[in-house]
Amino acid sequence: MKNLFTIILLSFSLSGLAAPIRKFISIDKNILKSIGPELSYSTQTLVENGSAAIVELSLPQIEEVSHKIHSKLHRCGGFMAHDSLAEARGIISNKSKTFSFIDYSVSEQAKVVPMLEQVSEEEIRKMVLALSSYETRHYQSETGTQSVQFIHDSWVKLSRHRSDVKVELVKHDQWAQPSVILTISGSAKTDEIIILGGHADSIAMDGDEAPGADDNASGIASVTEVIRLLMVNNYKPNRTIQFMAYAAEEVGLLGSKEIAKSYRKEKKKVVGVMQLDMTLFKGSQDKDIFLISDYTNKAQNTFMGKLIDEYVKVPWGYSKCGYGCSDHASWSSMGYPASFPFETSMEDHNPNIHTIDDTLESAGGNADHAVKFTKLSVAYILEMTK
């Protein structure tokens, strides 16, 4: 079978077909400097502002950037893709206003603790195995679309007894894979929205196979387990909750950026966002949860630390992941308070992601580590929607 990346590259370059779709990416200047000599093409910086630069690339070139960042720098992300130069300029100018509507208090022990006892490692593990069984969840592949339909159908099955719950596929015009949003309408503060999400796609540097068990079947599995628990316990929130599985994160946060941008345009009142991207691999010996401190909301991160101490009771700390490393950056760039708890420090990053070896087995064979992030997510949702 031909290399998937080669097929995509050829599909954009054959003569007589439509011109390649081009986008502007905002990228950390140090990352661009590091990977520049490794790229198969030259880049020209259009704009610089602080630590970020803007360049114009085709979609296959953007995918190559993603691969080179991982293979050379051993990390994810580091850039965001934009439809226009004006949009990219707006992001790196950092003019977005941060909204703050909420009191970060910890007071829902009577509701949180019983639900934490119901978190199932087996259910999380089953979802990881189901998603990583797809050959790839690449955002332009047939199985990438099929796997998102599976997520949609799983969420519908969990919530079908609730008339206040809606599950929808969000179509994106420029690529095949949709995103998924499950909404539980709030009973009192309906216009205030709490979001828990993670990306649904996977990618591999070489070859077609991208099981993506850790990156990011694990995050979607944790999100799914939170949905299951809320449905089993018939939880009725005061604030509206939305669970999201984002398309096309691996090529510049495309799905989450499109959704966050539309929410900002529609002036939706998102009062908190939590991102789950990789929850399976315990790579750091001294701590279990690392809160990403850059491009996130300081006040909400402090609240996250309180939740870990109160409910999860594991050692935690802070780490930095750099510019645009996951979907939380899409929300932060639109001015919404976002947090990103991560499975390791960045120095102890899972070496198997973006390869055929990103499997449950390579991450330890169980979902014990993901249980901690699921518990944190349960606590976050119940405390934020009281």
Side-chain angles (χ1 to χ4, degrees):
M1 185 179 291
K2 290 185 178 180
N3 181 287
L4 179 60
F5 174 71
T6 303
I7 294 172
I8 293 169
L9 185 60
L10 286 173
S11 70
F12 282 100
S13 61
L14 289 174
S15 60
L17 298 181
I21 296 173
R22 298 187 69 81
K23 289 183 176 290
F24 298 87
I25 69 166
S26 52
I27 184 168
D28 185 288
K29 288 193 294 188
N30 290 330
I31 289 178
L32 182 60
K33 182 179 180 180
S34 295
I35 67 169
E38 307 288 328
L39 298 173
S40 63
Y41 53 87
S42 61
T43 61
Q44 181 179 358
T45 299
L46 303 177
V47 179
E48 290 188 5
N49 189 346
S51 63
I54 298 173
V55 296
E56 184 180 6
L57 302 174
S58 67
L59 288 179
Q61 289 172 336
I62 291 172
E63 189 161 333
E64 186 179 349
V65 167
S66 177
H67 292 328
K68 294 301 182 183
I69 287 174
H70 182 266
S71 62
K72 182 175 176 62
L73 304 180
H74 308 291
R75 52 156 292 169
C76 273
F79 65 97
M80 295 179 67
H82 313 279
D83 292 325
S84 68
L85 180 59
E87 178 184 290
R89 282 179 181 272
I91 295 298
I92 69 171
S93 66
N94 199 27
K95 293 179 179 178
S96 297
K97 178 182 177 182
T98 298
F99 298 92
S100 180
F101 304 105
I102 202 162
D103 172 32
Y104 294 118
S105 61
V106 179
S107 60
E108 299 299 296
Q109 288 86 349
K111 294 179 181 179
V112 176
V113 173
M115 206 175 292
L116 294 186
E117 295 173 353
Q118 301 172 49
V119 174
S120 168
E121 183 274 338
E122 181 181 4
E123 291 294 330
I124 300 169
R125 175 164 33 92
K126 284 164 57 178
M127 190 64 171
V128 170
L129 287 171
L131 288 174
S132 59
S133 69
Y134 289 90
E135 184 177 51
T136 181
R137 300 190 305 279
H138 188 277
Y139 78 115
Q140 292 283 34
S141 69
E142 182 178 356
T143 51
T145 300
Q146 292 170 353
S147 62
V148 169
Q149 184 67 53
F150 171 75
I151 295 169
H152 170 273
D153 294 347
S154 298
W155 291 5
V156 167
K157 184 177 180 179
L158 290 171
S159 61
R160 60 190 173 190
H161 63 290
R162 292 277 295 267
S163 61
D164 60 333
V165 177
K166 177 176 67 173
V167 187
E168 56 188 321
L169 288 170
V170 179
K171 302 291 185 180
H172 302 285
D173 292 338
Q174 295 184 7
W175 63 90
Q177 186 179 59
S179 299
V180 189
I181 300 178
L182 182 149
T183 303
I184 308 175
S185 298
S187 59
K189 305 171 184 177
T190 307
D191 64 326
E192 297 185 8
I193 304 170
I194 306 298
I195 295 172
L196 176 66
H199 70 88
D201 60 321
S202 67
I203 199 169
M205 292 181 292
D206 298 302
D208 295 341
E209 294 188 52
D214 191 21
D215 187 16
N216 182 41
S218 64
I220 296 300
S222 290
V223 171
T224 303
E225 177 64 357
V226 176
I227 294 170
R228 185 187 73 83
L229 292 169
L230 297 188
M231 295 300 102
V232 166
N233 289 277
N234 202 32
Y235 179 68
K236 303 290 183 69
N238 285 325
R239 292 184 172 92
T240 295
I241 308 171
Q242 291 193 311
F243 298 91
M244 300 191 182
Y246 308 114
E249 183 268 354
E250 298 285 9
V251 287
L253 320 182
L254 292 178
S256 61
K257 184 185 69 66
E258 193 168 289
I259 294 170
K261 183 181 177 182
S262 70
Y263 276 41
R264 181 65 183 268
K265 183 178 180 180
E266 296 167 18
K267 298 182 179 179
K268 291 189 178 183
K269 190 184 288 187
V270 177
V271 299
V273 179
M274 180 175 172
Q275 171 73 358
L276 291 180
D277 186 354
M278 300 168 58
T279 67
L280 199 63
F281 176 75
K282 180 172 169 45
S284 300
Q285 297 303 312
D286 59 333
K287 296 179 177 65
D288 289 334
I289 297 175
F290 288 82
L291 300 177
I292 300 303
S293 60
D294 54 336
Y295 301 96
T296 55
N297 182 272
K298 184 177 180 180
Q300 186 172 261
N301 288 343
T302 300
F303 173 62
M304 284 277 181
K306 293 178 181 178
L307 294 179
I308 297 170
D309 289 339
E310 180 69 24
Y311 295 118
V312 191
K313 302 183 187 302
V314 296
W316 63 277
Y318 286 99
S319 187
K320 292 184 177 182
C321 72
Y323 185 82
C325 72
S326 193
D327 295 301
H328 64 284
S330 294
W331 296 98
S332 294
S333 69
M334 291 295 110
Y336 295 117
S339 294
F340 178 26
F342 193 62
E343 62 186 7
T344 68
S345 68
M346 283 299 135
E347 294 76 17
D348 298 323
H349 201 281
N350 185 346
N352 294 311
I353 65 167
H354 295 190
T355 75
I356 193 174
D357 295 319
D358 184 5
T359 63
L360 179 72
E361 290 73 22
S362 71
N366 59 61
D368 290 346
H369 198 46
V371 165
K372 304 161 192 172
F373 292 84
T374 308
K375 289 183 175 181
L376 176 57
S377 302
V378 169
Y380 176 76
I381 291 295
L382 297 189
E383 289 285 0
M384 291 285 280
T385 58
K386 57 195 172 192

